[in-house]
Amino acid sequence: MKVVDLRSDTVTHPTPAMREAMYHAEVGDDVFGEDPTVNRLERTAAERMGKEAALFVASGTMGNLVSLLAHCGRGDEVILGDHSHTFLFEQGGMAALGGITPRPNPNQPDGTLRLEDVVGAIRGDDVHFPRTRLVCLENTHNVCNGMPLTAAYTAEIARLAHAHGLRVHLDGARVFNAAAALGVDVRELVREVDSLSFCLSKGLCAPVGSLVCGSAGFIAGARRARKVVGGGMRQAGILAAAGIVALEQMAGRLAEDHAHAKRLAEGLAHIPGIKVAPVATNILYFRLTEEVSQTPEEVVDGLAERGIRLLGREGGRFRAVTHYWISDEDVERTIVAMHELIS
Ligand code: TLP
């Protein structure tokens, strides 16, 4: 029986085309700047995002960390969402490793930060205060129902930040999902930010890696930061080769995953006892209502027995994430299994 793995889009295996490209990849020592495949991936990513330069890193977490280390010094402060991945799920790396203070602002249900909150969080010039240096956004917003942030909103935040001498970093782990959902070129969504990171290893199916993009000067700083956190890789062209395939073949097909998430939402919404959150991309959250006798753990276990895996999160919230390896049939199987389980 095929296991339908909806826990995350990080579970995606590389495609046959990626394995083929990895096998044939030309490689060199990337710390010397001599891996032709890494260099090609970095040029391709920079070009795709409309930025001067890019840097290949091991993960989304590393991409955000080296970006923050490049933008900020010790004692600086970063304004970011209280539901953002960087604040919640990256071990407070900015503080632990960079001496940078996070200043969480309430994320709205659509993943945005309110402009007035951001303005209110910017520190004045006072000997008691840290210096505000950066605003971070997340697109799509993982915890906020996978919602995409529009180009207009991002530009507005950037205008505000720049007017106050701040920079903007975007955690664009799933920014291609945002582009697909909004029907715009990804460049539009990142045009006004100073830096961004995006992941190859989520919906784009590459086995490993993220890219950080920004100005040439910023990327030089991020490259130094990557080295000090132990992220200097050698013959990484083996991995970059899969990343190039991810950009060329996978970034354009994400609407299919969004259609699957919508169909799953629709199917689950018809089951008494399930309350589905709004879905705009490939991330679907839902809850059980009080009439359901099973606990969330029992539901997760019952699904696992039927070959379906998804995440039960804190507060009785479930998350299902669609991706390349989830078919129409898998979606229907999940709906049927859930029906059997809780009715
Ligand atoms: N998210 C993972 C888990 O860590 C929760 C997931 O399954 O969704 N930014 C965002 C918005 C992310 O969702 C993630 C990973 C990261 C950064 C970190 O990426 P990695 O896992 O490559 O370090």
Side-chain angles (χ1 to χ4, degrees), residues 68-98:
L68 268 60
L69 291 174
H71 281 304
C72 303
R74 300 186 72 80
D76 287 346
E77 192 164 72
V78 173
I79 296 171
L80 79 181
D82 61 350
H83 287 83
S84 65
H85 194 278
T86 304
F87 183 59
L88 290 178
F89 302 127
E90 295 175 15
Q91 273 194 33
M94 71 173 92
L97 304 177

Side-chain angles (χ1 to χ4, degrees), residues 41-54 185-187 213:
L41 172 64
E42 291 180 345
R43 278 198 307 274
T44 306
E47 201 268 324
R48 195 65 173 263
M49 294 295 168
K51 301 293 180 197
E52 266 175 19
D185 190 301
V186 71
R187 277 177 177 226
C213 308

Side-chain angles (χ1 to χ4, degrees), residues 37 42 44 77 81 91 129 139 150 178 224 236 277 291 322 324 328:
T37 312
E42 291 180 345
T44 306
E77 192 164 72
Q91 273 194 33
F129 295 159
N139 197 9
T150 63
R224 274 189 68 79
E291 68 207 72
T322 55
Y324 181 68
D328 292 344

